[in-house]
């Protein structure tokens, strides 16, 4: 199963939690809810980013899961078909792009074992592992903001909740959402403060 199919997601029908878990499970829950006659106002969010996930729910359950399993690879394949074959290893997921460095940086890269590409990949992976806490905090705020905009943009206290979110004021954030549906509040809090135990 691909990373996309197993990524954590949450589905809402209107402002009520419908399903949460791996994307493939959430997709099947949404499909079942729509088959039971649920309204078309179902939104699925990627928990990591808060972005809405578009799902192709045509066909049976196996077809839905199969599409999710290959969709992560589809954009690269489409680019390969449209563009002439260039450098890189597309079958391995390696994409060739231009990198601009100063001469002294190229000189340093040339002295490293494995070549420039291998060194750059290692540096990027290390930077991702050791991500700055402020960057993580900002990513959590952005994810919560996207969900709030989609689910609660017209609810009372939305503007104040947004200000509290970006001020990193959890108490004021919770207070501003007090009149919101419980599922929306809980999800926004989980995204905004992922490493804190809810009160």
């Amino acid at each position: 199963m691909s990373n996309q199919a197993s990524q954590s997601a949450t589905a809402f029908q209107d402002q009520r939690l419908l399903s949460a878990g791996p994307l493939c499970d959430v997709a099947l829950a949404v499909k079942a809810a729509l088959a039971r006659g649920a309204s078309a106002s179902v939104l699925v969010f990627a928990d990591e980013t808060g972005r809405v996930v578009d799902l192709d729910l045509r066909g049976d359950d196996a077809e839905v899961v199969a599409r999710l399993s290959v969709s992560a690879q589809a954009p690269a394949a489409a680019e390969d078909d449209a563009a002439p074959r260039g450098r890189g290893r597309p079958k391995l997921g390696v994409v060739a792009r231009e990198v601009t460095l100063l001469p002294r940086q190229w000189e340093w890269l040339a002295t490293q074992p494995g070549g420039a590409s291998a060194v750059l990949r290692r540096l990027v992976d290390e930077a991702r592992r050791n991500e700055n806490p402020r960057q993580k905090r900002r990513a959590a705020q952005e994810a919560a903001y996207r969900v709030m905009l989609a689910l609660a943009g017209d609810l009372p206290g939305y503007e104040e909740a947004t200000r509290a979110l970006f001020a990193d004021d959890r108490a004021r954030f919770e207070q501003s959402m007090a009149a919101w549906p419980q599922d929306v509040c809980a999800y926004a809090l989980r995204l905004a403060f992922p490493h804190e135990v809810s009160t």
Side-chain angles (χ1 to χ4, degrees):
M1 195 174 292
S2 74
N3 288 339
Q4 181 181 9
S6 61
Q7 78 179 354
S8 180
T10 303
F12 278 82
Q13 180 180 350
D14 298 318
Q15 294 171 329
R16 196 181 81 248
L17 179 67
L18 179 64
S19 178
L23 182 59
C24 62
D25 294 344
V26 171
L28 296 178
V30 169
K31 185 178 185 328
L34 293 174
R36 289 190 306 266
S39 71
S41 60
V42 174
L43 291 175
V44 178
F45 300 95
D47 292 342
E48 186 176 342
T49 64
R51 295 186 190 282
V52 174
V53 179
D54 290 326
L55 297 173
D56 183 352
L57 301 174
R58 295 173 295 145
D60 62 19
D61 291 356
E63 291 172 318
V64 171
V65 171
R67 271 193 299 275
L68 284 172
S69 297
V70 298
S71 64
Q73 301 161 1
E79 286 176 14
D80 285 348
D81 293 342
R85 211 118 156 101
R87 297 176 69 172
R89 296 178 180 172
K91 289 185 181 180
L92 299 176
V94 177
V95 178
R97 296 214 177 131
E98 181 180 345
V99 175
T100 307
L101 299 173
L102 296 171
R104 70 181 192 291
Q105 295 162 333
W106 282 116
E107 290 169 11
W108 179 83
L109 278 173
T111 65
Q112 303 304 305
S117 293
V119 173
L120 290 174
R121 285 193 294 269
R122 281 195 305 268
L123 289 171
V124 168
D125 288 342
E126 183 179 326
R128 289 181 68 194
R129 277 192 302 275
N130 301 322
E131 192 175 16
N132 183 321
R134 285 177 42 185
Q135 290 173 319
K136 288 181 180 178
R137 183 74 206 111
R138 183 63 182 195
Q141 290 170 331
E142 291 290 339
Y145 172 74
R146 289 184 190 103
V147 168
M148 290 167 51
L149 182 61
L151 294 176
D154 58 350
L155 293 179
Y158 169 77
E159 290 84 6
E160 184 60 27
T162 301
R163 284 191 286 274
L165 171 68
F166 288 107
D168 211 14
D169 186 342
R170 182 179 175 141
R172 197 173 86 204
F173 185 59
E174 291 185 64
Q175 182 181 12
S176 301
M177 297 187 302
W180 295 8
Q182 181 58 37
D183 290 343
V184 175
C185 290
Y187 188 48
L189 273 170
R190 181 164 62 93
L191 293 183
F193 300 96
H195 300 294
E196 296 181 22
V197 178
S198 59
T199 57

